[in-house]
Structure formats: structure tokens, C-alpha cells
Amino acid sequence: MNRFAIFLNKHIGTNERAILVAWNGASCDLDWIYRLTQVPQSKLSLPQRVKYFLDPYKAIDKCVGCRLNTKHSGLKSYSLSSVYEYVCKCSLSNAHCSLIDAKAQATIILRKEFRTIWRKTNFL
């Protein structure tokens, strides 16, 4: 976790804030990061610049105004590969590889279809 903190501090400006993003991560990834860094007397901590957590899966599912929500998109599944294929019109090769998944998530949350919900603080 120390290397992670060093990496974040190196790539986030002193006046910037970070958002940790994890697809369906509220039930796993983000929860464990939070637990490991918030437990009493833990030697691990998140850098001060990390202020938000975002689960795009949860945001798309819960926010009816999101253009990727099934009410607008007709998506049959909110799996990362399904949503990626919908917005990019191409398949997601090597899904479940950490780097591929991270790039796919970044692609999705930067698309106009997702940006409609950026300011919905209940998903951050």
C-alpha cells in the first residue's frame, strides 16, 4: 500500500483530488481498501488527496438519468465488457486483466453517456 500511496502522490497535483474507481468494487475492492486503511492502528493509509470512491456499475444501475442505464441503452447486462462493448462498439479483449479493466473503466466514465451523472454525489 505504501507504493500505491507514493504512486498517487507522484501523479496527483497538490491541489487536485483523486477518485478511486472500481467496477462493482463496492462489494469487494473498494471495501477492502477502505477497511485496510481505516482499521484502528493500521500502518496503511490512503493519501489525503484520495477523497472519493466511485463504482460505475452501481452508478449506471441506480441512476435512471444515466444514458447507459437499461431504460435508455437497452443493455442486457452491466458487466464491464457489456458496457464497454456498447459504448465503444468493439469487444473488450482480455477482460479481467487488471490493466485492461482499468483502461476500460476509464474509457466508460469519460464517455458522454456516463458524464451525465458525474455530479450525482450519492454515487461518489
Side-chain angles (χ1 to χ4, degrees):
M1 194 63 126
N2 188 36
R3 289 186 347 202
F4 179 65
I6 290 168
F7 174 84
L8 287 178
N9 285 328
K10 180 179 176 183
H11 290 89
I12 301 168
T14 46
N15 294 325
E16 295 177 324
R17 299 296 167 253
I19 300 172
L20 291 182
V21 177
W23 198 270
N24 206 18
S27 63
C28 186
D29 303 329
L30 297 178
D31 186 48
W32 276 108
I33 289 173
Y34 183 81
R35 287 182 193 199
L36 291 171
T37 59
Q38 302 305 309
V39 73
Q41 301 171 357
S42 175
K43 294 179 182 179
L44 303 173
S45 63
L46 285 172
Q48 294 273 328
R49 296 178 194 141
V50 176
K51 295 291 183 184
Y52 305 102
F53 296 92
L54 171 63
D55 182 344
Y57 175 97
K58 180 179 175 184
I60 292 167
D61 184 43
K62 300 296 180 193
C63 187
V64 178
C66 178
R67 303 308 305 165
L68 297 172
N69 185 284
T70 56
K71 293 188 188 250
H72 305 288
S73 66
L75 281 164
K76 303 277 187 243
S77 165
Y78 288 135
S79 70
L80 178 59
S81 59
S82 293
V83 176
Y84 180 85
E85 289 171 12
Y86 177 82
V87 298
C88 294
K89 310 293 186 242
C90 64
S91 64
L92 179 62
S93 300
N94 298 319
H96 302 294
C97 167
S98 298
L99 184 57
I100 300 296
D101 287 359
K103 287 180 178 181
Q105 290 177 69
T107 299
I108 291 166
I109 66 172
L110 293 174
R111 295 297 290 249
K112 66 180 180 205
E113 297 92 343
F114 188 85
R115 282 186 280 172
T116 59
I117 60 171
W118 273 1
R119 303 229 182 259
K120 305 281 186 192
T121 57
N122 55 329
F123 298 113
L124 294 175

